[in-house]
Amino acid sequence: MSARFEEIDYSPTAMGDISLRRRRDPVSGQDVYEVKLGDEFLMSSLFTTGEIELARLGLAKLPGEELDIVVGGLGLGYTAQAVLDDARVRSLIVVDALGEVIEWHRRGLVPLGAQLSSDARCRLVQGDFFAMAGGAHGWDPEVADRRFHGIFLDVDHAPDHVLHPSHAALYLPAGLRGLADRLHPDGVFALWSNDPPDERFLTVLAEVFTDSGAHVVDFDNPLQGGTATNTVYVARK
């Protein structure tokens, strides 16, 4: 194994083999952390702007103090940390389907792991975000049917490019209405997507939420050169 590349952890899961890798970027000389599920790259610490903007844009729509937030998808933790960087946030629950990913943070194997795990406002919960959204109990194992001020989701590649077929129902009107029921009045749902804004999904959002729109997030792409984009959908109840 080259000193420029290290597989930090590898585990077979029900969703496929997941691995955490670290490599030395030859240009910057910095360590880059990457997550792969099977043959797909899920996340890289080289590209975090979209994940951070998911939190920032969602929180920007929320008035008031003492905010309770739930994040679907832990990954390398950049969305979660951006939520906690807002002093108005009282509590954060981060739901991830893979206990292996949660353990990376608890063991300090990823750059933000120790910081997230030691923040008293933050709880990392293993579970299926999508099943819990439609379940009788909800996302908080300790409080049934708890409502939140913000629900921020970063799991699938896009509303029509899901990691598992069971996720697709959430992006339909009935699924989004169920999700909206778990928001306080004036609560916000924000969604990260790797694809450009989807007019069909914007139409669905407009059926369910009072105010909704899509934000295109630009960021530098040192691998391919030039600029790349993500989309963040933001919808208010």
Side-chain angles (χ1 to χ4, degrees):
M1 179 179 293
S2 167
R4 292 186 176 181
F5 175 87
E6 178 185 4
E7 186 172 77
I8 300 172
D9 194 43
Y10 171 91
S11 299
T13 76
M15 298 178 66
D17 297 338
I18 192 164
S19 61
L20 173 65
R21 316 181 329 165
R22 178 173 55 208
R23 64 178 177 83
R24 183 62 56 86
D25 183 73
V27 177
S28 68
Q30 297 179 339
D31 285 339
V32 176
Y33 289 78
E34 298 171 331
V35 180
K36 284 190 70 177
L37 183 64
D39 293 327
E40 292 192 79
F41 279 93
L42 290 187
M43 191 171 185
S44 169
S45 63
L46 201 59
F47 307 110
T48 62
T49 302
E51 287 79 7
I52 293 169
E53 286 297 288
L54 170 63
R56 192 190 69 80
L57 290 166
L59 288 164
K61 278 283 190 179
L62 284 170
E65 305 289 331
E66 297 189 332
L67 301 176
D68 299 316
I69 309 295
V70 62
V71 167
L74 175 56
L76 293 175
Y78 287 93
T79 297
Q81 187 57 55
V83 170
L84 293 171
D85 286 342
D86 190 317
R88 299 177 300 151
V89 172
R90 173 173 59 185
S91 72
L92 169 65
I93 290 177
V94 187
V95 180
D96 201 282
L98 298 174
E100 292 83 359
V101 174
I102 292 175
E103 283 302 308
W104 294 344
H105 287 264
R106 290 177 174 161
R107 293 166 58 194
L109 299 181
V110 291
L112 297 178
Q115 193 170 344
L116 287 178
S117 299
S118 63
D119 194 312
R121 296 172 295 164
C122 180
R123 276 190 289 149
L124 307 180
V125 174
Q126 182 181 358
D128 183 336
F129 177 93
F130 299 85
M132 295 164 83
H137 196 97
W139 293 298
D140 189 339
E142 299 177 4
V143 182
D145 293 326
R146 183 181 175 190
R147 289 191 177 190
F148 296 86
H149 299 96
I151 300 170
F152 306 155
L153 180 57
D154 176 9
V155 173
D156 295 309
H157 297 298
D160 61 352
H161 185 187
V162 296
L163 291 179
H164 191 275
S166 64
H167 299 181
L170 183 75
Y171 304 111
L172 301 176
L176 290 174
R177 288 190 186 99
L179 183 145
D181 286 343
R182 299 199 183 277
L183 284 169
H184 289 297
D186 292 323
V188 167
F189 168 58
L191 172 70
W192 177 91
S193 171
N194 194 46
D195 290 351
D198 183 336
E199 291 299 328
R200 291 174 299 177
F201 184 64
L202 283 167
T203 298
V204 175
L205 283 176
E207 288 182 32
V208 177
F209 293 93
T210 303
D211 176 30
S212 59
H215 303 259
V216 176
V217 177
D218 299 320
F219 56 93
D220 291 334
N221 187 337
L223 295 181
Q224 297 178 340
T227 301
T229 63
N230 293 155
T231 299
V232 175
Y233 299 94
V234 180
R236 186 169 58 84
K237 182 175 176 179

